[in-house]
Amino acid sequence: MALLLDTHALIWWAVGDDRLSNRARRAIETEEVYVSAASAFEISVKHALGKLPQAAALAVDIRGYVESQGFHCLMIEFAHAEKAGALAGPARDPFDRLLVAQSMIEGLSLVSNERPFDAYAIRRLW
């Protein structure tokens, strides 16, 4: 099973936060892991606004960190953007919408504690 990390899952993994579930942690340790460019954008924007102080070290070189962990970078394609824009349902945040769309199109399990994602035709792991 290949995984796509939600932004909070990536941050919690990087800083060793106990809020990352044991099930998610074990899956990240053993499965193929992808991190979306949407998460890089979200971390960069929110850190610059002072909203993610815990991600300061990560924000310096997100791609470098992702690659150092053996994770794959998932770029945003037109199909992802189109799908994200057309999604109905509870996800209103554009970053979340992109992650859901990428999970759908790429067939990746989304590692997230966000229960509203269960409204979509994806597998959420937490």
Side-chain angles (χ1 to χ4, degrees):
M1 147 182 61
L3 310 173
L4 175 61
L5 300 185
D6 196 346
T7 305
H8 66 271
L10 173 63
I11 294 169
W12 294 349
W13 170 264
V15 301
D17 194 307
D18 289 340
R19 290 179 288 180
L20 184 65
S21 74
N22 289 331
R23 183 172 182 224
R25 188 174 307 282
R26 281 191 306 274
I28 294 167
E29 290 170 347
T30 60
E31 302 295 338
E32 187 173 17
V33 176
Y34 289 82
V35 175
S36 173
S39 290
F41 182 38
E42 182 175 14
I43 291 167
S44 296
V45 167
K46 290 183 178 177
H47 180 262
L49 295 172
K51 294 184 177 182
L52 291 176
Q54 72 275 29
L58 182 59
V60 170
D61 183 11
I62 302 165
R63 183 185 195 107
Y65 178 77
V66 166
E67 291 173 350
S68 78
Q69 296 297 298
F71 301 161
H72 304 283
C73 297
L74 181 59
M75 299 301 116
I76 300 168
E77 303 291 338
F78 265 83
H80 300 147
E82 289 173 335
K83 182 75 167 177
L87 284 175
R92 301 235 183 265
D93 180 273
F95 302 116
D96 288 347
R97 294 172 70 86
L98 275 166
L99 293 174
V100 169
Q102 287 181 310
S103 178
M104 289 174 152
I105 291 171
E106 304 301 328
L108 302 170
S109 296
L110 186 56
V111 178
S112 178
N113 68 352
E114 300 283 338
R115 290 182 186 211
F117 291 165
D118 294 341
Y120 299 99
I122 62 169
R123 179 168 182 221
R124 183 178 65 88
L125 185 144
W126 194 251

